[in-house]
Amino acid sequence: GGTAGAGPPIGGAGAVELAGSPHLRGLTGLDLSGHELGGFGTAAFAYAYAWPGLRRLDLRANGIPPAAVAALAANPRLRSL
């Protein structure tokens, strides 16, 4: 396991790529605060199923709209966060 974060903003398109990556299955924490994800990028994580060990996902300061927050909350695999 491990935690990833920091670096330049990845934006919505980068979030889609990251959320779908099979190479991050062992990740336990991810800090994407301030990465300019918006609703599009946040939705990618709401529907991602590749990270069974994820226990911490920091999405602060990303301009996340209420619909994307609801999608995150509805994903049963993310309830342990």
Side-chain angles (χ1 to χ4, degrees):
T3 299
I10 63 171
V16 170
E17 291 293 320
L18 186 63
S21 175
H23 305 290
L24 302 175
R25 289 187 62 81
L27 200 65
T28 57
L30 183 59
D31 181 353
L32 292 174
S33 58
H35 275 273
E36 303 172 7
L37 305 181
F40 180 66
T42 303
F45 289 101
Y47 300 110
Y49 291 99
W51 304 357
L54 194 64
R55 297 292 172 257
R56 190 181 65 77
L57 178 61
D58 187 344
L59 298 174
R60 289 177 291 157
N62 275 294
I64 301 172
V69 172
L72 284 168
N75 184 334
R77 294 181 185 240
L78 298 179
R79 290 200 179 123
S80 63
L81 297 179

